[in-house]
Amino acid sequence: MFKKVLIANRGEVAIRIIRACREIGIPTVSVYSQADAGSLHVSLATEAYCIGGNESSKSYLNIPAIISAALISGADAIHPGYGFMSERADFAEICREHNITFIGPSPESMQLMGDKATARKTMAAKNVPITPGTGIITDIEEAKKSAEKFGYPVIVKATAGGGGKGMRVANTPEELEQNINLCRQEAEKFFGNPDVYMEKYLVNPRHIEVQIIADKFGNVVHLGERDCSIQRRHQKLIEEAPSPAVDDETRKKLGEAAVQAAKAANYEGVGTIEFLLDKDKNFYFMEMNTRLQVEHGITEMISNVDIVREQINIAAGNKLSFTQDDIKLSGHAIECRINAEDPDRNFLPAPGEINGYITPGGFGVRVDSHVYSGYKIPPYYDSLISKLMCWAPTREECRRRMYRALKEYVITGVKTTLPFYQDLIENEVFISGNFDTGFMNTYKKD
Ligand code: MV4
C-alpha cells in the first residue's frame, strides 16, 4: 500500500479521499490555495502545504507546486479527485516521471478517451454502439452528404471537447457548413485543436452513465447505471441510481457495453461510460470520464462498494476485491447538489459566509461536504456546498426521504439551491420518472 497520499484537490472531494485514506491507514497530504487556508481539507489531513494564490491557475492547476509538495512530503501517490488535474494526461505523465503513482488511469487511456473521435472509433471496433456519425471532417461537401444520409438534425462536435463544450446542432446544410466553421474556430481557440466531427443528433435523449472499476490485471466490473438527465447548461442538478428508464435487460446490456468500453481503452481505475438512451431503449456511447465523479456516492449506496477505497486499492496494484457476480444492486439512491447559487437569479453564484448550518440526518441520509457554520465560500472555485444523498428500498420512498431531508436542512447567510430542490422533488414529471435531458427547458416551479 502507499506510504503517503497527496490530494491535489479541495472541498468535499478532498475530504472524501482523506476519509478513505484514514480508514485504510494511509497518512495524507493536503495542498491548498491562500483562499482555502481555513478549509476543512487542510485541518483533516496529516499535513498540508500552501501551493499558491487564490486562482486555480496559481494553485490547484499549478503542476510544479503540486509535484514539489509531493516530493517534500514524501508522498508516493497523488489523488486528483474530480476537475482540476483529474483528466490531465500530461499531469499523469509528470507524476510517472517523478515515480509518484497517479491514482487514476494511465496517461495513454486518458489521452485516448480525451480525443472524442478516436474514442468513438475505438468503441465501434469493439462493438460498443455509437451514434451514426463521421470521423474528423475534412471536406464540407462530403459532410453534407453524410448529413443527408443520417437525416437532420446533426451535431458537430470538437474532438478535443467533451462535457458539452464545443458542440453545435445543425438543422440544414447551410447551418451545417456554418457550424463546422464556427466549431473549428472555437475548438482551435479553446482546445488548440481545430478538428471536428459530426453525429446524428438525438432529440432529448436520457443521459445514462455506467460506473466501472478495473484493476491492473484485466478484471473489469460495472456497478450499474446512474440517470443524470436533469441538467442545466451541462451542469447536473439531480442524479439517481438506478435509472427509472432502465429495465433489467437493458441494464445487463449497458453493463456489458461499459465493460467492453473499458477493456477497449485498456482501462484501469474507476471510470464512467456515458451513454445516450432513446425512447426505444437503444443506447449509444457518448464519452468516457476517466476520473472519480461527483455523483459516485449514489452508486456506493446501491452497490455497497466503497468506490474511493477500491480506487486507491487498485492503484496500489492490488486485485479487485470482488467479481461481477458479487455485485448485488439494491434499493434506490438520489443526490441533490446543493450549491451557493441563487435559483431566482438564473443560478447566479452566491459566495459568502455561512452563518447558520444544520444538516439533515437519519437512516439512509448522507451529506458529503466541507462546510461548517462560519465557513466563507470563496468566489474562485465552483459553488458546491454539499452533496445530499438519500437511499431507500424503492424510488418513491427515496424521493420522500429526500423531501424530508431537504426540509430539515438549514443553511443561512448565502443563497442556496435548497428551495429549488424542495420544488423539484415534488414536481409531477420528476415523480413519474418519465423525464429526459429536455426537462429543464420546460420546468417551471408552480
Ligand atoms: C449528443 C446529444 C444528442 N445527440 N450527441 C452533451 C454533453 C456531451 N457529453 C454530449 N452531449 C450531447 N450529445 C448526439 N449525437 C445531446 C447531448 C446533450 C446532452 C447530453 C446529456 C445530458 C444533457 C445534454 C444536454 C444537451 C445536449
Side-chain angles (χ1 to χ4, degrees), residues 15-92:
I15 292 172
R16 172 71 188 86
I17 297 158
I18 292 169
R19 286 175 171 152
C21 289
R22 282 197 122 173
E23 289 178 12
I24 301 170
I26 315 170
T28 52
V29 183
S30 276
V31 292
Y32 61 98
S33 66
Q34 281 164 358
D36 278 340
S39 283
L40 221 45
H41 83 278
V42 175
S43 43
L44 282 176
T46 318
E47 55 191 303
Y49 296 85
C50 183
I51 53 165
N54 298 335
E55 294 81 8
S56 303
S57 59
K58 293 183 176 162
S59 48
Y60 301 104
L61 295 173
N62 183 345
I63 296 179
I66 297 166
I67 297 288
S68 301
L71 295 176
I72 289 165
S73 63
D76 51 353
I78 296 182
H79 196 308
Y82 52 69
F84 298 125
M85 309 310 296
S86 62
E87 295 190 280
R88 291 273 300 266
D90 58 337
F91 180 68

Side-chain angles (χ1 to χ4, degrees), residues 163-191:
K165 290 192 285 280
M167 319 185 318
R168 276 167 186 273
V169 178
N171 290 289
T172 63
E174 293 72 39
E175 266 182 17
L176 177 60
E177 175 158 0
Q178 209 174 25
N179 285 353
I180 290 171
N181 291 325
L182 283 170
C183 221
R184 274 182 180 154
Q185 286 167 22
E186 286 170 357
E188 171 67 52
K189 191 170 142 207
F190 290 114
F191 314 117

